[in-house]
Amino acid sequence: MTTAPETTETTEQPVAKTGTPPTIARTGAGAGHIAVALAHWAGGHTIGPEEITRRIVKARAEAHAAAVAEHARQARAAHKKARRLRQRAELNGGLVPADQTALVAADHEAQRHDAAISALGEFTAPVLDPGQIRHRRHRTAAVRCLVLTLPPAAVVAGSWAWSGSVFLFSVVGAVGACVARGDRPFELTVRPVPAELIAATPHVLADAPAEVVVEPVAVDAGAWREELRLTVEEVVAVADLDGRAGVHVADILAQLQQSRRFLGATTKTFPSTLRDAGIPTDVVKIKGAVPPSALGVRYDKLATALGHQPRLPAHLVPDITADDEADPGEYPSPDHSPAPRAAAG
């Protein structure tokens, strides 16, 4: 009896597929590129620093022009009223007390607005620091992020008010957009400055393209503070020698800019620079100055901040060793200063 040969049957195990399906990979890549592009737009990075600077300068120039125009309008009205009252006085041989009071008020109002126009002067482009540009960019980003929340809010409101199919169609549309985009990243660029904005701000210089890479140089951050304190100390000491209680900020800045220092500072920004260097500022009244009262550095306040009396420059210090037989009373005490008398007066 013969038996059939046994056959061994081998069952092949199914091989698990590895990797992400192409459709899901394409959808994920498209979603990532869309998210990056939206973050670039919402963060305000499509606007360059030059455009932000020009928009800030344009807004300030328009505000300055509006203020000058308003003061000019009110000054014209006050001058017209005063002129009409004077003509009435010439015709009638005088004015009644009420008209006299109105004439004085009109003259005062006209002088006030004329002084305001003189104080405003010509508009000069401000020097903006990076913090101001960053703050403006953050404001733009906040508005754009608010705009990005509107579509999801509309989908949620539509789903709640009408039907859940609104949410379903929205999800299908978003997935379709991701699939359509695929693995094609957006070009994250900065938009060019509009031509009308450049024409409206001719006093703002365009940023030159950085072609040369400058190696960073180690700078002592405290050196400029020490140099500024020494300069202010000498200027205030000289003013004290002349019998003044202090020096106005405008005069200090003018002396520094004559030596080509702090050229970008103004009388509005320089006081904060002084305070940053540890120099106190206060209102100083100086007889003969125009205006007599202005923000400045007082002798007594500076002495308190420095811990000693402000010292004169070397070439102005009297040489008390020239005459060995001189009486001590011939030379003023180093602590004696006319500044307290000027401040008290």
Side-chain angles (χ1 to χ4, degrees), residues 116-158:
I117 294 174
S118 300
L120 288 172
E122 294 292 334
F123 177 76
T124 56
V127 179
L128 304 180
D129 57 45
Q132 293 173 292
I133 298 177
R134 186 168 55 251
H135 176 70
R136 182 62 176 264
R137 192 190 302 278
H138 289 171
R139 289 175 53 189
T140 303
V143 174
R144 292 186 173 185
C145 290
L146 181 61
V147 171
L148 283 182
T149 61
L150 296 181
V155 170
V156 173

Side-chain angles (χ1 to χ4, degrees), residues 70-316:
E70 179 62 19
H71 282 296
R73 184 188 65 80
Q74 296 188 16
R76 285 195 302 269
H79 282 300
K80 182 178 179 180
K81 183 177 180 180
R83 186 168 56 253
R84 188 171 62 250
L85 290 173
R86 288 191 176 92
Q87 291 174 355
R88 184 185 303 174
E90 292 176 358
L91 293 175
N92 300 333
L95 293 174
V96 296
D99 288 343
Q100 293 177 357
T101 304
L103 178 59
V104 173
D107 285 336
H108 175 73
E109 189 73 7
Q111 292 175 2
R112 187 172 69 87
H113 290 295
D114 288 340
I117 294 174
S118 300
L120 288 172
E122 294 292 334
F123 177 76
T124 56
V127 179
L128 304 180
D129 57 45
Q132 293 173 292
I133 298 177
R134 186 168 55 251
H135 176 70
R136 182 62 176 264
R137 192 190 302 278
H138 289 171
R139 289 175 53 189
T140 303
V143 174
R144 292 186 173 185
C145 290
L146 181 61
V147 171
L148 283 182
T149 61
L150 296 181
V155 170
V156 173
S159 302
W160 177 77
W162 289 289
S163 172
S165 59
V166 175
F167 179 77
L168 179 61
F169 291 149
S170 302
V171 172
V172 172
V175 173
C178 295
V179 173
R181 188 65 198 177
D183 195 10
R184 291 181 295 114
F186 290 90
E187 186 178 358
L188 306 180
T189 59
V190 177
R191 70 187 185 190
V193 182
E196 59 273 13
L197 183 60
I198 296 177
T201 54
H203 35 272
V204 178
L205 299 178
D207 294 336
E211 298 179 354
V212 180
V213 178
V214 181
E215 294 294 332
V217 180
V219 179
D220 184 8
W224 70 270
R225 293 184 175 87
E226 185 63 29
E227 182 181 358
L228 180 59
R229 280 196 295 265
L230 179 60
T231 303
V232 173
E233 178 182 359
E234 293 179 350
V235 171
V236 173
V238 172
D240 173 73
L241 193 64
D242 295 337
R244 289 176 287 153
V247 184
H248 289 163
V249 168
D251 298 333
I252 297 175
L253 181 59
Q255 294 189 29
L256 289 171
Q257 291 181 344
Q258 286 178 358
S259 59
R260 314 297 297 174
R261 291 182 291 174
F262 296 94
L263 295 178
T266 63
T267 54
K268 294 182 179 179
T269 61
F270 191 59
S272 61
T273 305
L274 291 174
R275 290 190 290 269
D276 189 27
I279 301 172
T281 59
D282 199 352
V283 176
V284 181
K285 185 176 181 181
I286 302 176
K287 294 182 180 180
V290 180
S293 296
L295 194 64
V297 180
R298 294 176 58 90
Y299 181 93
D300 51 352
K301 297 291 183 65
L302 181 61
T304 303
L306 296 176
H308 59 81
Q309 300 294 329
R311 291 185 282 261
L312 289 168
H315 65 280
L316 293 180

Side-chain angles (χ1 to χ4, degrees), residues 55-69 123 197 200-201 203:
R55 292 194 181 279
I56 294 175
V57 172
K58 181 184 177 183
R60 295 190 181 181
E62 291 175 348
H64 179 272
V68 171
F123 177 76
L197 183 60
T201 54
H203 35 272

